[in-house]
Amino acid sequence: MLNQNFIDMLGQKSVIRELFTYGSERAKEIGYENVFDYSLGNPSVPTPESFTQEMLRLLQSEDPVTLHGYSPSLGIDSVRDAVARSLNDRFEMNYQKEDIFMVSGAAGAIAHAVRAVTVPGDEILTFAPFFPEYMPYISASGAVLNVVPADISTFQINFDAFIEMLNDKVMAVLINSPNNPSGIVYSTETIDKLAMILSEKEEEFGHPIYIISDEPYREIVFEGIDSPFIAAHYHNTITCYSFSKSLSLPGERIGYIAVNPACENASLLVDMFGQISRGIGHNCPPSIIQMAVVKSLYDTSDLSVYETNKNILYTELTKMGFEIVEPGGTFYMFPKALEEDAKAFSDKAKTLDLLLVPSDTFGVPGHFRISYCIPTEKVERSIPVFQKLANMYL
Amino acid sequence: MLNQNFIDMLGQKSVIRELFTYGSERAKEIGYENVFDYSLGNPSVPTPESFTQEMLRLLQSEDPVTLHGYSPSLGIDSVRDAVARSLNDRFEMNYQKEDIFMVSGAAGAIAHAVRAVTVPGDEILTFAPFFPEYMPYISASGAVLNVVPADISTFQINFDAFIEMLNDKVMAVLINSPNNPSGIVYSTETIDKLAMILSEKEEEFGHPIYIISDEPYREIVFEGIDSPFIAAHYHNTITCYSFSKSLSLPGERIGYIAVNPACENASLLVDMFGQISRGIGHNCPPSIIQMAVVKSLYDTSDLSVYETNKNILYTELTKMGFEIVEPGGTFYMFPKALEEDAKAFSDKAKTLDLLLVPSDTFGVPGHFRISYCIPTEKVERSIPVFQKLANMYL
């Protein structure tokens, strides 16, 4: 018989994807330029030339048998080494290649990390607002994801609620800074307080509590914002990185896990990730993409458009009366909706061909997410549409 | 605490990988040309020009934001459509794009198929000799893999043993033709008999019994060999394909699952595969590789070297007294060892720098696997070494 678990998952399709699909259909009817689609977090700027040129060079100069040959299951040695060095250079860390596991994006990275540090029934805590796809990554492993309510005024961490929920079944805390959907960057103060609490509780409970740090937006931080490198502040940190946003390569499925060498069982964890991949028959990210990103480890796409868009939207929407915690990075913001029911608000926006994701699946009611990874001229043209929407609530 | 299951898996590392690692180390000592490494099934011929040219064209001509953008979770529509058409053209089938799921190689394909059609405790049957990595793919899902003993004289199916093991907990039969490690191709007679038995048992048990058909070697079939397309012979067939061997792209992780449209729940199964990927955070194979293989769906690497190598080895080893069922395809053969203990035999060969994989993990005692995906000149130079090995048993 078929496995009902996966059939049930079909009923819980992503709200974001549904809105995006609606937008694509609507664009066919009224023209792409007339749909203000803020639904999907798909990078809108091209990958840097360094990546494309390295792909071309590999295809034109390398022996194809070696180039396209099997990658070792933990990743290509020279690639792991280059990733470790780049982290050491940039964040004054002390990674060796043995601490790096190449993986197909941050989603896979999180799924691996969760499976390594939990057994079914263990708990993972994350903080609202949070990326809703954490749910399937974790529930499929048998662990339980519990969500700490948001600190609505800052979107930093609600420590009172956190401490109340931090029991001895919690094996890991999953954080995401810069944050999807709020755009907030956790401050050094927040991270240090989190680290202090976890260290105390590790001692009290007698087992490690890992930070699983989901960092696909690490490179998208706005001017003047303090963005600490999490692993430098807490020993048991498993860093989950994706090149999807920094190099605009979401379809190529390339990222890594970096296990802090100060972590308990660091090298064992990396070996375990290899076995987790083996069990799902997945093995490794594409060889040529692994090799090509090496040339872009210190590079990014031109990410400035996201800050430009943020400034326009934050300024104009605030003027209209929207309450917004100003983002410090990413290409998201998470304003308060103009009515309590976020879905009803999103539906009103939809009548104006303005696609805004309602907040409920992010673990916070009454807000909406704007993904402003779209051309700036379109952001500008959308401002009068936001005004129309606001006017509906006058 | 860490998940002990994955730590335990570390103790069961692949015999093949260990021998390959030994060979690489040994090559550093005595020179690559002096190690006759028949351990690993890594293609030795380059990918066809059609693939490389299409990769270059995509990188040079396509909009990079689209090219490297997110693939839909079931695969890029135009790619799924092209795969369906190519199967219809080549095998007179009736696939639609909705029946195709793009996946990162046959390993992932099998892992997905098993998870969709079983719940923990269900049984899967496979036939010895079999690829030992089936064990982790299946045990990680909670299903149980049981191995039907080999028909040593032909390496077709031992039907008496099969019927005895086919109980109502069996949800799928996992087959691999052309076969790793024997090189044997199941005849039309074998497949039709298998199909007949399964159809009868489906009726008796009142539930589907799927054939999960692992077909990475489908394109490597030698002259005069009858190689039926499995799905054309049995309705409930889930075909797991990889481009690793036919296009020499093992590192690029690209393949597909084709669900026979005559299959019960065909479109539901494909949707379920998407949810299985979602739960492991994997999503999809790399976008650019998906797009590039479209131009090579009717093409292969120059695979003739494998038949040349097979002919030399089969002729010369048979002359020396080895008992071999002649391969019909792949780049493997599976001769009887010259003593009962395959490991001891492999160890003797190792003293001659001849690396042969002992048969026990393939589910058959007293044999060894030769992976002859190496240059023909090296095969020729290895013949006197095989003779030396044979002489040890005179």
Side-chain angles (χ1 to χ4, degrees):
Chain A
M1 313 290 178
L2 303 189
N3 190 316
Q4 192 62 34
N5 288 343
F6 301 114
I7 298 175
D8 291 344
M9 283 173 78
L10 285 167
Q12 301 142 25
K13 280 197 177 166
S14 159
V15 177
I16 301 168
R17 283 270 168 183
E18 271 178 28
L19 205 55
F20 173 72
T21 305
Y22 170 83
S24 304
E25 291 302 314
R26 183 72 178 145
K28 285 180 201 159
E29 287 169 34
I30 63 166
Y32 167 76
E33 69 284 4
N34 297 315
V35 180
F36 301 97
D37 184 353
Y38 284 111
S39 67
L40 205 64
N42 213 351
S44 61
V45 288
T47 193
E49 265 303 296
S50 58
F51 176 80
T52 305
Q53 288 309 319
E54 182 62 4
M55 286 286 285
L56 292 171
R57 191 194 69 74
L58 289 165
L59 287 161
Q60 285 163 336
S61 318
E62 295 293 314
D63 166 32
V65 172
T66 309
L67 177 63
H68 303 301
Y70 279 114
S71 159
S73 53
L74 305 180
I76 297 171
D77 262 16
S78 58
V79 178
R80 296 168 70 199
D81 191 54
V83 167
R85 283 162 191 268
S86 74
L87 290 171
N88 298 344
D89 287 350
R90 295 179 57 208
F91 305 113
E92 297 181 22
M93 295 293 293
N94 196 23
Y95 292 103
Q96 308 277 318
K97 74 164 189 242
E98 289 75 14
D99 306 316
I100 308 297
F101 175 75
M102 299 307 297
V103 68
S104 56
I110 296 166
H112 277 72
V114 167
R115 279 154 182 78
V117 303
T118 63
V119 295
D122 283 346
E123 291 181 22
I124 307 256
L125 294 183
T126 197
F127 302 95
F130 73 103
F131 181 50
E133 289 296 293
Y134 290 166
M135 279 293 181
Y137 307 160
I138 292 172
S139 65
S141 79
V144 177
L145 180 67
N146 289 325
V147 180
V148 179
D151 171 352
I152 302 282
S153 62
T154 65
F155 293 133
Q156 299 282 325
I157 289 177
N158 179 341
F159 280 107
D160 292 341
F162 172 58
I163 291 169
E164 207 161 294
M165 293 174 74
L166 186 54
N167 66 65
D168 72 349
K169 289 180 77 179
V170 174
M171 295 300 156
V173 173
L174 172 52
I175 65 174
N176 173 222
S177 170
N179 182 264
N180 173 8
S182 74
I184 287 317
V185 181
Y186 287 165
S187 67
T188 299
E189 196 191 341
T190 295
I191 294 301
D192 283 341
K193 188 166 176 186
L194 176 63
M196 197 192 66
I197 293 167
L198 290 177
S199 295
E200 282 173 14
K201 289 290 179 180
E202 284 192 325
E203 199 141 319
E204 183 184 332
F205 299 151
H207 64 71
I209 308 173
Y210 296 91
I211 288 183
I212 299 173
S213 181
D214 176 25
E215 305 189 6
Y217 303 100
R218 188 170 65 211
E219 265 60 75
I220 315 181
V221 175
F222 304 146
E223 215 189 308
I225 298 296
D226 164 36
S227 179
F229 183 69
I230 313 289
H233 294 255
Y234 184 63
H235 57 296
N236 279 329
T237 298
I238 301 173
T239 303
C240 298
Y241 188 77
S242 167
F243 294 96
S244 293
K245 318 295 177 178
S246 60
L247 298 180
S248 299
L249 296 174
E252 307 307 358
R253 314 311 305 140
I254 181 75
Y256 59 81
I257 306 180
V259 180
N260 191 342
C263 202
E264 291 188 39
N265 306 307
S267 65
L268 177 62
L269 276 167
V270 172
D271 282 345
M272 288 170 75
F273 299 149
Q275 297 303 315
I276 294 167
S277 286
R278 187 185 175 198
I280 58 176
H282 178 45
N283 301 319
C284 56
S287 296
I288 190 173
I289 312 284
Q290 284 191 57
M291 290 188 215
V293 293
V294 167
K295 280 287 183 293
S296 305
L297 290 174
Y298 298 80
D299 203 0
T300 67
S301 299
D302 177 2
L303 305 169
S304 62
V305 61
Y306 304 134
E307 185 156 7
T308 305
N309 291 353
K310 183 271 290 178
N311 286 335
I312 297 169
L313 284 163
Y314 179 73
T315 307
E316 297 300 325
L317 269 64
T318 303
K319 267 193 228 163
M320 290 174 206
F322 282 95
E323 289 175 42
I324 312 172
V325 183
E326 186 172 1
T330 76
F331 36 61
Y332 304 109
M333 69 176 68
F334 200 61
K336 204 169 166 202
L338 298 178
E339 62 180 299
E340 276 185 20
D341 182 342
K343 177 71 169 58
F345 177 79
S346 167
D347 285 344
K348 279 206 186 80
K350 209 160 131 185
T351 63
L352 304 171
D353 295 311
L354 179 63
L355 305 187
L356 308 171
V357 181
S359 63
D360 304 272
T361 57
F362 299 107
V364 175
H367 288 66
F368 62 97
R369 187 185 78 169
I370 306 179
S371 301
Y372 44 88
C373 40
I374 65 171
T376 300
E377 71 81 23
K378 207 163 185 178
V379 171
E380 282 165 346
R381 286 196 294 115
S382 77
I383 299 299
V385 188
F386 276 105
Q387 186 64 63
K388 262 194 209 165
L389 177 62
N391 291 346
M392 289 179 171
Y393 292 90
L394 283 181
Chain B
M1 314 289 178
L2 303 188
N3 191 317
Q4 192 62 35
N5 288 342
F6 301 114
I7 298 175
D8 292 345
M9 283 174 77
L10 286 167
Q12 302 143 24
K13 281 197 177 163
S14 159
V15 177
I16 301 167
R17 281 270 169 181
E18 271 178 27
L19 206 55
F20 173 70
T21 305
Y22 170 83
S24 304
E25 291 303 313
R26 183 71 178 146
K28 285 180 202 159
E29 288 169 33
I30 62 166
Y32 168 76
E33 68 284 4
N34 298 314
V35 180
F36 300 97
D37 184 353
Y38 284 112
S39 67
L40 206 64
N42 212 352
S44 61
V45 289
T47 194
E49 264 304 295
S50 59
F51 177 80
T52 304
Q53 289 308 319
E54 182 63 2
M55 285 286 284
L56 292 171
R57 191 194 68 73
L58 289 165
L59 287 161
Q60 286 163 336
S61 318
E62 294 293 314
D63 166 30
V65 172
T66 310
L67 178 62
H68 302 302
Y70 279 114
S71 159
S73 53
L74 306 179
I76 297 170
D77 262 18
S78 58
V79 177
R80 298 168 70 197
D81 190 55
V83 167
R85 283 161 191 266
S86 73
L87 290 171
N88 297 345
D89 287 351
R90 296 179 55 209
F91 305 113
E92 297 181 22
M93 296 293 294
N94 195 24
Y95 292 103
Q96 308 277 318
K97 75 164 189 243
E98 288 75 14
D99 306 316
I100 308 296
F101 175 75
M102 299 307 295
V103 69
S104 56
I110 296 166
H112 276 71
V114 167
R115 279 155 182 76
V117 303
T118 64
V119 296
D122 283 346
E123 291 181 23
I124 307 257
L125 294 183
T126 196
F127 301 96
F130 73 103
F131 181 50
E133 289 296 295
Y134 289 166
M135 280 292 178
Y137 306 160
I138 292 171
S139 65
S141 79
V144 177
L145 180 67
N146 289 324
V147 180
V148 179
D151 171 353
I152 301 283
S153 60
T154 64
F155 293 133
Q156 299 282 326
I157 288 176
N158 179 342
F159 280 108
D160 292 341
F162 172 57
I163 291 169
E164 208 160 293
M165 294 174 73
L166 187 54
N167 66 66
D168 72 350
K169 289 181 75 179
V170 174
M171 296 299 156
V173 173
L174 172 52
I175 67 174
N176 174 221
S177 171
N179 183 264
N180 173 8
S182 74
I184 288 318
V185 181
Y186 287 165
S187 66
T188 299
E189 196 190 342
T190 295
I191 294 301
D192 282 342
K193 189 165 175 187
L194 176 64
M196 196 192 66
I197 294 168
L198 290 178
S199 295
E200 283 174 14
K201 290 290 178 178
E202 284 191 324
E203 199 140 318
E204 183 183 331
F205 300 151
H207 64 72
I209 307 173
Y210 296 92
I211 287 184
I212 299 174
S213 181
D214 177 24
E215 305 189 6
Y217 303 101
R218 187 170 67 210
E219 265 58 77
I220 315 181
V221 174
F222 303 146
E223 215 190 309
I225 299 296
D226 164 35
S227 179
F229 184 68
I230 313 290
H233 294 256
Y234 184 65
H235 57 295
N236 279 330
T237 298
I238 301 173
T239 302
C240 298
Y241 188 77
S242 167
F243 294 97
S244 293
K245 318 295 178 180
S246 61
L247 298 180
S248 298
L249 296 175
E252 307 307 357
R253 315 312 304 142
I254 181 76
Y256 58 80
I257 307 180
V259 180
N260 191 342
C263 202
E264 291 188 36
N265 304 305
S267 65
L268 178 62
L269 275 168
V270 172
D271 282 345
M272 288 170 73
F273 299 150
Q275 297 304 313
I276 294 167
S277 286
R278 187 183 176 201
I280 58 176
H282 180 44
N283 303 318
C284 57
S287 296
I288 188 172
I289 312 284
Q290 286 190 57
M291 289 188 214
V293 293
V294 167
K295 281 286 183 294
S296 305
L297 290 174
Y298 297 81
D299 202 359
T300 67
S301 299
D302 177 1
L303 305 169
S304 62
V305 61
Y306 303 134
E307 184 156 7
T308 304
N309 291 353
K310 185 270 291 179
N311 286 336
I312 296 170
L313 284 164
Y314 179 73
T315 307
E316 297 300 324
L317 268 65
T318 303
K319 266 193 223 162
M320 290 175 207
F322 282 94
E323 289 176 42
I324 311 170
V325 183
E326 186 171 3
T330 76
F331 38 60
Y332 304 109
M333 70 176 66
F334 200 59
K336 204 169 165 202
L338 298 178
E339 61 181 301
E340 276 184 21
D341 183 341
K343 178 69 170 58
F345 177 79
S346 167
D347 285 344
K348 279 206 184 79
K350 209 160 129 185
T351 64
L352 304 172
D353 296 310
L354 179 64
L355 305 187
L356 308 171
V357 181
S359 63
D360 304 272
T361 55
F362 299 107
V364 176
H367 287 65
F368 63 98
R369 187 185 79 168
I370 306 179
S371 301
Y372 45 88
C373 40
I374 66 172
T376 301
E377 71 81 23
K378 207 162 184 178
V379 171
E380 282 165 344
R381 285 195 296 114
S382 78
I383 299 300
V385 188
F386 275 106
Q387 186 62 63
K388 262 193 210 166
L389 177 62
N391 291 346
M392 287 180 171
Y393 291 91
L394 283 181

